[in-house]
Amino acid sequence: EGDSAGGTAIQGRDTKYQAILPLRGKILNVWKTTHDKMLTHNEIKVIIQALGTGILDDFDVSKCRYGKIIIMCDADVDGSHIRTLILTFFYRHMKDVIEQGHLFIAQPPLFKVTQSKKDTYLKDETEKLRFLLNRIAESVEITPEGGLAVRGEALMNMLQRMDEYRSHARRLASRGVPREALDVLFREHFTDRAAFADVTKLQQLEAALTQAGFANVRIVTDEIAETTQVEFQVGSNGSGRRATVNAELLGHYEFRQMAKAYEQLSAFGLPPYAVKNGDDTTIYTNVDDLLESIFKIAEKGLTIQRYKGLGEMNPEQLWETTMNPETRRLLQVKIEDAVGADEIFTILMGDQVEPRRVFIQDNALDVKNLDI
């Protein structure tokens, strides 16, 4: 996908058996267009011509020129959209290509880590986190208040849970829920919607938020809707905006994931944490400061490059990381549930708006990554 990436791939390929087809931008959404319009779309025409299978009534998978057809897109939102449109085309008009195991998705790395002239390529944020934590697992130990020292594999597990807790908290904070208020909710055991029906627990939450520095904290009850929430001011001297925590927040996907991470962290022990690195021991009262310190230690001596697109790699790097059969990672496209696949393509790629709106509403709370 893309002229620049296509050019780099052409230079880096094995010319004996690898062919490169650069696609210029997003192809047509064939799920909601006529055959005539599809066949006049230039990018789709070149795909059909390159594969040699024909199309519609003339389609014959046995005439396919290639054993593997590999979709290679940037690791960003635009790349994901283009990949989805390409998959839609194959599922709609070349399903036999998928069913006979010819279609694959390339897995280019998102990061390059350089240490002492040695390069390591990492697929995504999760792999990068694991790489960094592995560097300090045996040299650093963390002791929660009143708990046992944690090191090695257990330390990596603990820090991963901390990172999950922090990541989900940041997403909720971007939607108006202060991070400090979220910490208070968990300390006061507000992880279940039923907590907002308990007057005693609500009063304890009110006091805890006030103690945490929030102003004008008050419990508000809607008699008609029979719901209760806690409101407070965010900002210096209570002069900022007004924020709310309620049972609806506790049902949000990000909050539920935070609750899961908090429960797992509780098994290790909660702050304050004593972090020992060599002869130095530092006390941290919150997860964020501890993680910032840990990542500084882990990244010492490293140069980390994040790739925004395939075109940022030179031909040798693209070959080594994404195209070399000996080292590359491929994700094979399969149809495990034809009825379910057909239904989801129709909902998300079809021309009917209402089913798509209902789908979004029904699944909104379970969204993991949202591009807005």
Side-chain angles (χ1 to χ4, degrees):
E1 171 250 323
D3 283 337
S4 59
T8 305
I10 288 171
Q11 295 175 56
R13 66 176 171 148
D14 186 326
T15 57
K16 293 178 182 178
Y17 63 92
Q18 287 182 333
I20 306 298
L21 175 62
L23 294 178
R24 294 164 180 82
K26 295 180 173 65
I27 73 167
L28 199 65
N29 176 6
V30 300
W31 206 267
K32 57 180 182 182
T33 192
T34 64
H35 291 167
D36 289 344
K37 188 174 181 181
M38 177 188 75
L39 293 175
T40 59
H41 184 75
N42 186 65
E43 301 306 300
I44 290 177
K45 282 198 301 183
V46 296
I47 292 175
I48 297 168
Q49 291 166 0
L51 298 184
T53 58
I55 197 68
L56 302 176
D57 294 338
D58 296 327
F59 176 75
D60 184 352
V61 71
S62 68
K63 294 180 179 179
C64 186
R65 296 191 178 110
Y66 306 98
K68 286 186 174 68
I69 302 162
I70 302 170
I71 304 169
M72 188 162 65
C73 297
D74 290 344
D76 60 10
V77 173
D78 280 341
S80 296
H81 188 197
I82 292 168
R83 182 168 56 246
T84 300
L85 291 168
I86 296 171
L87 287 170
T88 302
F89 167 72
F90 277 101
Y91 182 80
R92 183 77 162 184
H93 295 292
M94 293 188 176
K95 191 179 291 186
D96 285 351
V97 167
I98 301 175
E99 291 178 337
Q100 294 193 18
H102 295 298
L103 191 62
F104 296 81
I105 297 172
Q107 303 284 283
L110 197 57
F111 297 98
K112 181 178 78 169
V113 179
T114 303
Q115 179 185 18
S116 302
K117 297 184 179 180
K118 179 185 176 182
D119 294 335
T120 301
Y121 295 95
L122 305 173
K123 177 178 176 289
D124 52 25
E125 291 281 359
T126 301
E127 202 165 278
K128 174 192 168 191
L129 175 65
R130 188 80 181 172
F131 175 86
L132 291 175
L133 296 185
N134 193 56
R135 293 193 78 214
I136 51 91
E138 299 300 333
S139 60
V140 172
E141 67 177 36
I142 298 178
T143 305
E145 185 178 43
L148 300 174
V150 183
R151 62 177 67 85
E153 188 68 27
L155 177 64
M156 292 177 66
N157 189 11
M158 180 185 187
L159 291 169
Q160 283 179 302
R161 302 294 83 75
M162 288 183 179
D163 187 67
E164 289 169 7
Y165 182 86
R166 180 177 68 166
S167 297
H168 293 298
R170 284 175 171 173
R171 294 188 186 105
L172 285 174
S174 69
R175 298 174 187 177
V177 187
R179 169 58 189 277
E180 295 79 4
L182 293 168
D183 291 339
V184 172
L185 283 171
F186 288 110
R187 286 201 299 269
E188 297 300 318
H189 307 292
F190 271 73
T191 56
D192 188 284
R193 291 170 181 250
F196 278 91
D198 187 323
V199 176
T200 301
K201 290 193 71 172
L202 280 169
Q203 291 172 342
Q204 293 171 345
L205 177 61
E206 182 182 27
L209 286 168
T210 301
Q211 187 175 2
F214 295 104
N216 302 322
V217 184
R218 62 191 181 106
I219 301 170
V220 179
T221 302
D222 186 330
E223 301 294 346
I224 298 176
E226 297 183 343
T227 58
T228 304
Q229 61 188 31
V230 178
E231 298 180 352
F232 50 91
Q233 292 289 133
V234 180
S236 59
N237 300 319
S239 60
R241 62 180 176 81
R242 196 129 185 97
T244 300
V245 293
N246 51 28
E248 182 180 350
L249 170 66
L250 271 58
H252 197 286
Y253 172 83
E254 302 291 357
F255 190 92
R256 298 200 312 270
Q257 294 303 110
M258 278 189 74
K260 188 184 296 185
Y262 186 85
E263 181 181 356
Q264 292 168 334
L265 278 177
S266 299
F268 290 104
L270 297 172
Y273 297 108
V275 177
K276 184 179 180 182
N277 179 31
D279 296 328
D280 298 328
T281 299
T282 308
I283 305 298
Y284 295 93
T285 58
N286 64 71
V287 166
D288 290 35
D289 291 343
L290 184 151
L291 285 175
E292 290 300 322
S293 174
I294 286 292
F295 285 130
K296 282 182 180 179
I297 297 170
E299 292 175 7
K300 189 174 182 179
L302 300 180
T303 300
I304 301 176
Q305 178 182 354
R306 190 184 201 280
Y307 292 115
K308 294 180 181 178
L310 298 167
E312 289 187 41
M313 297 185 202
N314 61 43
E316 292 77 17
Q317 290 173 329
L318 193 57
W319 164 256
E320 180 184 351
T321 63
T322 313
M323 298 171 63
N324 183 352
E326 300 298 322
T327 56
R328 70 188 179 192
R329 300 182 187 185
L330 293 180
L331 185 65
Q332 187 172 22
V333 181
K334 297 180 180 180
I335 302 172
E336 296 180 347
D337 179 359
V339 174
D342 198 74
E343 180 183 7
I344 202 70
F345 270 112
T346 300
I347 291 173
L348 298 182
M349 306 302 287
D351 56 4
Q352 297 297 312
V353 176
E354 183 61 19
R356 189 154 48 248
R357 183 184 66 81
V358 172
F359 177 89
I360 292 170
Q361 289 178 336
D362 289 346
N363 293 277
L365 291 179
D366 293 321
V367 170
K368 294 181 181 179
N369 299 296
L370 183 64
D371 178 62
I372 54 175

PDB file of all heavy atoms in Angstrom, residues 48-78:
ATOM      1  N   ILE A  48      -6.943  -7.444 -10.248  1.00  0.00           N
ATOM      2  CA  ILE A  48      -7.493  -8.549 -11.030  1.00  0.00           C
ATOM      3  C   ILE A  48      -6.513  -8.964 -12.131  1.00  0.00           C
ATOM      4  O   ILE A  48      -6.243 -10.154 -12.341  1.00  0.00           O
ATOM      5  CB  ILE A  48      -8.856  -8.153 -11.638  1.00  0.00           C
ATOM      6  CG1 ILE A  48      -9.867  -7.860 -10.529  1.00  0.00           C
ATOM      7  CG2 ILE A  48      -9.382  -9.255 -12.560  1.00  0.00           C
ATOM      8  CD1 ILE A  48     -11.151  -7.188 -11.014  1.00  0.00           C
ATOM      9  N   GLN A  49      -5.951  -7.978 -12.813  1.00  0.00           N
ATOM     10  CA  GLN A  49      -4.998  -8.268 -13.896  1.00  0.00           C
ATOM     11  C   GLN A  49      -3.738  -8.946 -13.368  1.00  0.00           C
ATOM     12  O   GLN A  49      -3.217  -9.887 -13.968  1.00  0.00           O
ATOM     13  CB  GLN A  49      -4.638  -6.975 -14.629  1.00  0.00           C
ATOM     14  CG  GLN A  49      -5.787  -6.399 -15.448  1.00  0.00           C
ATOM     15  CD  GLN A  49      -5.523  -4.964 -15.897  1.00  0.00           C
ATOM     16  OE1 GLN A  49      -4.480  -4.385 -15.593  1.00  0.00           O
ATOM     17  NE2 GLN A  49      -6.476  -4.381 -16.610  1.00  0.00           N
ATOM     18  N   ALA A  50      -3.246  -8.474 -12.214  1.00  0.00           N
ATOM     19  CA  ALA A  50      -2.007  -9.026 -11.657  1.00  0.00           C
ATOM     20  C   ALA A  50      -2.185 -10.476 -11.221  1.00  0.00           C
ATOM     21  O   ALA A  50      -1.297 -11.312 -11.429  1.00  0.00           O
ATOM     22  CB  ALA A  50      -1.546  -8.179 -10.472  1.00  0.00           C
ATOM     23  N   LEU A  51      -3.331 -10.808 -10.634  1.00  0.00           N
ATOM     24  CA  LEU A  51      -3.547 -12.167 -10.139  1.00  0.00           C
ATOM     25  C   LEU A  51      -3.859 -13.144 -11.256  1.00  0.00           C
ATOM     26  O   LEU A  51      -3.567 -14.341 -11.149  1.00  0.00           O
ATOM     27  CB  LEU A  51      -4.687 -12.177  -9.107  1.00  0.00           C
ATOM     28  CG  LEU A  51      -4.449 -11.345  -7.841  1.00  0.00           C
ATOM     29  CD1 LEU A  51      -5.604 -11.516  -6.873  1.00  0.00           C
ATOM     30  CD2 LEU A  51      -3.142 -11.742  -7.168  1.00  0.00           C
ATOM     31  N   GLY A  52      -4.495 -12.666 -12.324  1.00  0.00           N
ATOM     32  CA  GLY A  52      -4.773 -13.529 -13.469  1.00  0.00           C
ATOM     33  C   GLY A  52      -5.941 -14.472 -13.302  1.00  0.00           C
ATOM     34  O   GLY A  52      -6.133 -15.390 -14.109  1.00  0.00           O
ATOM     35  N   THR A  53      -6.760 -14.273 -12.286  1.00  0.00           N
ATOM     36  CA  THR A  53      -7.872 -15.198 -12.006  1.00  0.00           C
ATOM     37  C   THR A  53      -9.149 -14.845 -12.750  1.00  0.00           C
ATOM     38  O   THR A  53     -10.092 -15.643 -12.761  1.00  0.00           O
ATOM     39  CB  THR A  53      -8.200 -15.183 -10.499  1.00  0.00           C
ATOM     40  OG1 THR A  53      -8.539 -13.828 -10.117  1.00  0.00           O
ATOM     41  CG2 THR A  53      -7.026 -15.664  -9.669  1.00  0.00           C
ATOM     42  N   GLY A  54      -9.197 -13.645 -13.347  1.00  0.00           N
ATOM     43  CA  GLY A  54     -10.470 -13.171 -13.870  1.00  0.00           C
ATOM     44  C   GLY A  54     -11.366 -12.728 -12.712  1.00  0.00           C
ATOM     45  O   GLY A  54     -10.945 -12.722 -11.549  1.00  0.00           O
ATOM     46  N   ILE A  55     -12.619 -12.392 -13.031  1.00  0.00           N
ATOM     47  CA  ILE A  55     -13.519 -11.886 -12.000  1.00  0.00           C
ATOM     48  C   ILE A  55     -14.958 -12.223 -12.374  1.00  0.00           C
ATOM     49  O   ILE A  55     -15.261 -12.501 -13.547  1.00  0.00           O
ATOM     50  CB  ILE A  55     -13.338 -10.353 -11.824  1.00  0.00           C
ATOM     51  CG1 ILE A  55     -13.936  -9.874 -10.497  1.00  0.00           C
ATOM     52  CG2 ILE A  55     -13.921  -9.615 -13.017  1.00  0.00           C
ATOM     53  CD1 ILE A  55     -13.231 -10.338  -9.278  1.00  0.00           C
ATOM     54  N   LEU A  56     -15.837 -12.230 -11.394  1.00  0.00           N
ATOM     55  CA  LEU A  56     -17.268 -12.509 -11.571  1.00  0.00           C
ATOM     56  C   LEU A  56     -17.457 -13.873 -12.251  1.00  0.00           C
ATOM     57  O   LEU A  56     -16.895 -14.864 -11.785  1.00  0.00           O
ATOM     58  CB  LEU A  56     -17.934 -11.368 -12.349  1.00  0.00           C
ATOM     59  CG  LEU A  56     -17.818  -9.963 -11.710  1.00  0.00           C
ATOM     60  CD1 LEU A  56     -18.426  -8.899 -12.609  1.00  0.00           C
ATOM     61  CD2 LEU A  56     -18.442  -9.945 -10.319  1.00  0.00           C
ATOM     62  N   ASP A  57     -18.161 -13.956 -13.352  1.00  0.00           N
ATOM     63  CA  ASP A  57     -18.433 -15.241 -14.011  1.00  0.00           C
ATOM     64  C   ASP A  57     -17.183 -15.890 -14.584  1.00  0.00           C
ATOM     65  O   ASP A  57     -17.145 -17.114 -14.794  1.00  0.00           O
ATOM     66  CB  ASP A  57     -19.467 -15.060 -15.130  1.00  0.00           C
ATOM     67  CG  ASP A  57     -20.834 -14.656 -14.604  1.00  0.00           C
ATOM     68  OD1 ASP A  57     -21.092 -14.915 -13.404  1.00  0.00           O
ATOM     69  OD2 ASP A  57     -21.627 -14.081 -15.373  1.00  0.00           O
ATOM     70  N   ASP A  58     -16.161 -15.090 -14.831  1.00  0.00           N
ATOM     71  CA  ASP A  58     -14.914 -15.628 -15.403  1.00  0.00           C
ATOM     72  C   ASP A  58     -13.880 -15.993 -14.339  1.00  0.00           C
ATOM     73  O   ASP A  58     -12.759 -16.398 -14.678  1.00  0.00           O
ATOM     74  CB  ASP A  58     -14.293 -14.601 -16.368  1.00  0.00           C
ATOM     75  CG  ASP A  58     -15.185 -14.333 -17.571  1.00  0.00           C
ATOM     76  OD1 ASP A  58     -15.881 -15.273 -17.999  1.00  0.00           O
ATOM     77  OD2 ASP A  58     -15.192 -13.183 -18.054  1.00  0.00           O
ATOM     78  N   PHE A  59     -14.232 -15.843 -13.070  1.00  0.00           N
ATOM     79  CA  PHE A  59     -13.258 -16.090 -12.002  1.00  0.00           C
ATOM     80  C   PHE A  59     -12.880 -17.569 -11.938  1.00  0.00           C
ATOM     81  O   PHE A  59     -13.741 -18.455 -11.929  1.00  0.00           O
ATOM     82  CB  PHE A  59     -13.824 -15.649 -10.650  1.00  0.00           C
ATOM     83  CG  PHE A  59     -12.911 -15.957  -9.490  1.00  0.00           C
ATOM     84  CD1 PHE A  59     -11.776 -15.204  -9.271  1.00  0.00           C
ATOM     85  CD2 PHE A  59     -13.176 -17.024  -8.638  1.00  0.00           C
ATOM     86  CE1 PHE A  59     -10.920 -15.485  -8.216  1.00  0.00           C
ATOM     87  CE2 PHE A  59     -12.335 -17.319  -7.579  1.00  0.00           C
ATOM     88  CZ  PHE A  59     -11.199 -16.545  -7.371  1.00  0.00           C
ATOM     89  N   ASP A  60     -11.589 -17.851 -11.884  1.00  0.00           N
ATOM     90  CA  ASP A  60     -11.079 -19.215 -11.765  1.00  0.00           C
ATOM     91  C   ASP A  60      -9.824 -19.177 -10.907  1.00  0.00           C
ATOM     92  O   ASP A  60      -8.765 -18.713 -11.344  1.00  0.00           O
ATOM     93  CB  ASP A  60     -10.759 -19.777 -13.151  1.00  0.00           C
ATOM     94  CG  ASP A  60     -10.310 -21.240 -13.098  1.00  0.00           C
ATOM     95  OD1 ASP A  60     -10.101 -21.762 -11.987  1.00  0.00           O
ATOM     96  OD2 ASP A  60     -10.157 -21.836 -14.180  1.00  0.00           O
ATOM     97  N   VAL A  61      -9.938 -19.651  -9.654  1.00  0.00           N
ATOM     98  CA  VAL A  61      -8.826 -19.558  -8.711  1.00  0.00           C
ATOM     99  C   VAL A  61      -7.629 -20.380  -9.169  1.00  0.00           C
ATOM    100  O   VAL A  61      -6.479 -20.086  -8.801  1.00  0.00           O
ATOM    101  CB  VAL A  61      -9.279 -19.996  -7.298  1.00  0.00           C
ATOM    102  CG1 VAL A  61      -9.521 -21.496  -7.237  1.00  0.00           C
ATOM    103  CG2 VAL A  61      -8.252 -19.584  -6.239  1.00  0.00           C
ATOM    104  N   SER A  62      -7.855 -21.396  -9.988  1.00  0.00           N
ATOM    105  CA  SER A  62      -6.737 -22.234 -10.459  1.00  0.00           C
ATOM    106  C   SER A  62      -5.786 -21.467 -11.361  1.00  0.00           C
ATOM    107  O   SER A  62      -4.653 -21.887 -11.595  1.00  0.00           O
ATOM    108  CB  SER A  62      -7.268 -23.468 -11.193  1.00  0.00           C
ATOM    109  OG  SER A  62      -7.884 -23.104 -12.419  1.00  0.00           O
ATOM    110  N   LYS A  63      -6.238 -20.325 -11.897  1.00  0.00           N
ATOM    111  CA  LYS A  63      -5.393 -19.515 -12.770  1.00  0.00           C
ATOM    112  C   LYS A  63      -4.560 -18.485 -12.000  1.00  0.00           C
ATOM    113  O   LYS A  63      -3.828 -17.697 -12.615  1.00  0.00           O
ATOM    114  CB  LYS A  63      -6.260 -18.791 -13.802  1.00  0.00           C
ATOM    115  CG  LYS A  63      -6.960 -19.732 -14.787  1.00  0.00           C
ATOM    116  CD  LYS A  63      -7.800 -18.941 -15.785  1.00  0.00           C
ATOM    117  CE  LYS A  63      -8.485 -19.875 -16.787  1.00  0.00           C
ATOM    118  NZ  LYS A  63      -9.332 -19.129 -17.754  1.00  0.00           N
ATOM    119  N   CYS A  64      -4.689 -18.481 -10.680  1.00  0.00           N
ATOM    120  CA  CYS A  64      -3.937 -17.515  -9.858  1.00  0.00           C
ATOM    121  C   CYS A  64      -2.436 -17.704 -10.064  1.00  0.00           C
ATOM    122  O   CYS A  64      -1.914 -18.827  -9.994  1.00  0.00           O
ATOM    123  CB  CYS A  64      -4.292 -17.677  -8.385  1.00  0.00           C
ATOM    124  SG  CYS A  64      -3.540 -16.425  -7.326  1.00  0.00           S
ATOM    125  N   ARG A  65      -1.722 -16.626 -10.327  1.00  0.00           N
ATOM    126  CA  ARG A  65      -0.296 -16.686 -10.656  1.00  0.00           C
ATOM    127  C   ARG A  65       0.602 -16.870  -9.428  1.00  0.00           C
ATOM    128  O   ARG A  65       1.799 -17.125  -9.569  1.00  0.00           O
ATOM    129  CB  ARG A  65       0.127 -15.405 -11.376  1.00  0.00           C
ATOM    130  CG  ARG A  65      -0.541 -15.181 -12.725  1.00  0.00           C
ATOM    131  CD  ARG A  65       0.151 -14.035 -13.472  1.00  0.00           C
ATOM    132  NE  ARG A  65      -0.441 -13.844 -14.794  1.00  0.00           N
ATOM    133  CZ  ARG A  65      -1.184 -12.793 -15.123  1.00  0.00           C
ATOM    134  NH1 ARG A  65      -1.415 -11.852 -14.226  1.00  0.00           N
ATOM    135  NH2 ARG A  65      -1.684 -12.679 -16.340  1.00  0.00           N
ATOM    136  N   TYR A  66       0.032 -16.709  -8.231  1.00  0.00           N
ATOM    137  CA  TYR A  66       0.877 -16.668  -7.028  1.00  0.00           C
ATOM    138  C   TYR A  66       0.372 -17.622  -5.952  1.00  0.00           C
ATOM    139  O   TYR A  66      -0.825 -17.773  -5.739  1.00  0.00           O
ATOM    140  CB  TYR A  66       0.935 -15.241  -6.467  1.00  0.00           C
ATOM    141  CG  TYR A  66       1.369 -14.238  -7.510  1.00  0.00           C
ATOM    142  CD1 TYR A  66       0.440 -13.470  -8.202  1.00  0.00           C
ATOM    143  CD2 TYR A  66       2.721 -14.102  -7.830  1.00  0.00           C
ATOM    144  CE1 TYR A  66       0.840 -12.579  -9.185  1.00  0.00           C
ATOM    145  CE2 TYR A  66       3.132 -13.212  -8.811  1.00  0.00           C
ATOM    146  CZ  TYR A  66       2.187 -12.451  -9.483  1.00  0.00           C
ATOM    147  OH  TYR A  66       2.597 -11.590 -10.462  1.00  0.00           O
ATOM    148  N   GLY A  67       1.322 -18.247  -5.248  1.00  0.00           N
ATOM    149  CA  GLY A  67       0.963 -19.134  -4.145  1.00  0.00           C
ATOM    150  C   GLY A  67       0.528 -18.358  -2.919  1.00  0.00           C
ATOM    151  O   GLY A  67      -0.343 -18.787  -2.166  1.00  0.00           O
ATOM    152  N   LYS A  68       1.154 -17.185  -2.710  1.00  0.00           N
ATOM    153  CA  LYS A  68       0.791 -16.323  -1.575  1.00  0.00           C
ATOM    154  C   LYS A  68       0.482 -14.925  -2.092  1.00  0.00           C
ATOM    155  O   LYS A  68       1.243 -14.353  -2.871  1.00  0.00           O
ATOM    156  CB  LYS A  68       1.928 -16.247  -0.547  1.00  0.00           C
ATOM    157  CG  LYS A  68       2.118 -17.490   0.306  1.00  0.00           C
ATOM    158  CD  LYS A  68       3.187 -17.228   1.378  1.00  0.00           C
ATOM    159  CE  LYS A  68       3.304 -18.403   2.347  1.00  0.00           C
ATOM    160  NZ  LYS A  68       3.864 -19.597   1.694  1.00  0.00           N
ATOM    161  N   ILE A  69      -0.639 -14.397  -1.663  1.00  0.00           N
ATOM    162  CA  ILE A  69      -1.000 -12.998  -1.922  1.00  0.00           C
ATOM    163  C   ILE A  69      -0.947 -12.307  -0.567  1.00  0.00           C
ATOM    164  O   ILE A  69      -1.713 -12.641   0.335  1.00  0.00           O
ATOM    165  CB  ILE A  69      -2.408 -12.888  -2.528  1.00  0.00           C
ATOM    166  CG1 ILE A  69      -2.476 -13.691  -3.831  1.00  0.00           C
ATOM    167  CG2 ILE A  69      -2.772 -11.435  -2.766  1.00  0.00           C
ATOM    168  CD1 ILE A  69      -3.900 -13.990  -4.270  1.00  0.00           C
ATOM    169  N   ILE A  70      -0.033 -11.364  -0.405  1.00  0.00           N
ATOM    170  CA  ILE A  70       0.235 -10.770   0.907  1.00  0.00           C
ATOM    171  C   ILE A  70      -0.145  -9.291   0.900  1.00  0.00           C
ATOM    172  O   ILE A  70       0.376  -8.513   0.104  1.00  0.00           O
ATOM    173  CB  ILE A  70       1.723 -10.947   1.289  1.00  0.00           C
ATOM    174  CG1 ILE A  70       2.089 -12.437   1.291  1.00  0.00           C
ATOM    175  CG2 ILE A  70       2.000 -10.330   2.663  1.00  0.00           C
ATOM    176  CD1 ILE A  70       3.580 -12.695   1.410  1.00  0.00           C
ATOM    177  N   ILE A  71      -1.047  -8.929   1.793  1.00  0.00           N
ATOM    178  CA  ILE A  71      -1.458  -7.530   1.958  1.00  0.00           C
ATOM    179  C   ILE A  71      -0.474  -6.870   2.916  1.00  0.00           C
ATOM    180  O   ILE A  71      -0.327  -7.302   4.063  1.00  0.00           O
ATOM    181  CB  ILE A  71      -2.885  -7.427   2.514  1.00  0.00           C
ATOM    182  CG1 ILE A  71      -3.873  -8.181   1.619  1.00  0.00           C
ATOM    183  CG2 ILE A  71      -3.308  -5.966   2.672  1.00  0.00           C
ATOM    184  CD1 ILE A  71      -5.253  -8.349   2.246  1.00  0.00           C
ATOM    185  N   MET A  72       0.195  -5.815   2.473  1.00  0.00           N
ATOM    186  CA  MET A  72       1.199  -5.150   3.305  1.00  0.00           C
ATOM    187  C   MET A  72       0.844  -3.668   3.428  1.00  0.00           C
ATOM    188  O   MET A  72       0.985  -2.901   2.469  1.00  0.00           O
ATOM    189  CB  MET A  72       2.596  -5.326   2.689  1.00  0.00           C
ATOM    190  CG  MET A  72       3.733  -4.843   3.569  1.00  0.00           C
ATOM    191  SD  MET A  72       5.352  -5.510   3.071  1.00  0.00           S
ATOM    192  CE  MET A  72       5.574  -4.762   1.465  1.00  0.00           C
ATOM    193  N   CYS A  73       0.356  -3.279   4.602  1.00  0.00           N
ATOM    194  CA  CYS A  73      -0.091  -1.902   4.838  1.00  0.00           C
ATOM    195  C   CYS A  73       0.640  -1.297   6.032  1.00  0.00           C
ATOM    196  O   CYS A  73       1.197  -2.008   6.873  1.00  0.00           O
ATOM    197  CB  CYS A  73      -1.603  -1.867   5.121  1.00  0.00           C
ATOM    198  SG  CYS A  73      -2.626  -2.416   3.752  1.00  0.00           S
ATOM    199  N   ASP A  74       0.605   0.039   6.116  1.00  0.00           N
ATOM    200  CA  ASP A  74       1.183   0.732   7.265  1.00  0.00           C
ATOM    201  C   ASP A  74       0.473   0.317   8.550  1.00  0.00           C
ATOM    202  O   ASP A  74      -0.720  -0.023   8.542  1.00  0.00           O
ATOM    203  CB  ASP A  74       1.048   2.253   7.102  1.00  0.00           C
ATOM    204  CG  ASP A  74       1.951   2.790   6.003  1.00  0.00           C
ATOM    205  OD1 ASP A  74       2.879   2.074   5.594  1.00  0.00           O
ATOM    206  OD2 ASP A  74       1.718   3.938   5.558  1.00  0.00           O
ATOM    207  N   ALA A  75       1.206   0.390   9.662  1.00  0.00           N
ATOM    208  CA  ALA A  75       0.645   0.015  10.958  1.00  0.00           C
ATOM    209  C   ALA A  75      -0.036   1.214  11.619  1.00  0.00           C
ATOM    210  O   ALA A  75       0.254   1.568  12.764  1.00  0.00           O
ATOM    211  CB  ALA A  75       1.747  -0.536  11.861  1.00  0.00           C
ATOM    212  N   ASP A  76      -0.952   1.857  10.881  1.00  0.00           N
ATOM    213  CA  ASP A  76      -1.717   2.967  11.448  1.00  0.00           C
ATOM    214  C   ASP A  76      -3.178   2.820  11.060  1.00  0.00           C
ATOM    215  O   ASP A  76      -3.572   1.828  10.435  1.00  0.00           O
ATOM    216  CB  ASP A  76      -1.145   4.320  10.990  1.00  0.00           C
ATOM    217  CG  ASP A  76      -1.174   4.476   9.462  1.00  0.00           C
ATOM    218  OD1 ASP A  76      -1.806   3.641   8.766  1.00  0.00           O
ATOM    219  OD2 ASP A  76      -0.576   5.447   8.957  1.00  0.00           O
ATOM    220  N   VAL A  77      -4.000   3.805  11.412  1.00  0.00           N
ATOM    221  CA  VAL A  77      -5.436   3.710  11.168  1.00  0.00           C
ATOM    222  C   VAL A  77      -5.752   3.675   9.674  1.00  0.00           C
ATOM    223  O   VAL A  77      -6.585   2.891   9.212  1.00  0.00           O
ATOM    224  CB  VAL A  77      -6.174   4.883  11.846  1.00  0.00           C
ATOM    225  CG1 VAL A  77      -7.650   4.881  11.456  1.00  0.00           C
ATOM    226  CG2 VAL A  77      -6.038   4.773  13.361  1.00  0.00           C
ATOM    227  N   ASP A  78      -5.068   4.515   8.887  1.00  0.00           N
ATOM    228  CA  ASP A  78      -5.287   4.510   7.437  1.00  0.00           C
ATOM    229  C   ASP A  78      -4.924   3.156   6.838  1.00  0.00           C
ATOM    230  O   ASP A  78      -5.631   2.635   5.967  1.00  0.00           O
ATOM    231  CB  ASP A  78      -4.461   5.608   6.766  1.00  0.00           C
ATOM    232  CG  ASP A  78      -5.116   6.978   6.886  1.00  0.00           C
ATOM    233  OD1 ASP A  78      -6.331   7.014   7.154  1.00  0.00           O
ATOM    234  OD2 ASP A  78      -4.425   7.990   6.725  1.00  0.00           O
TER     235      ASP A  78
END
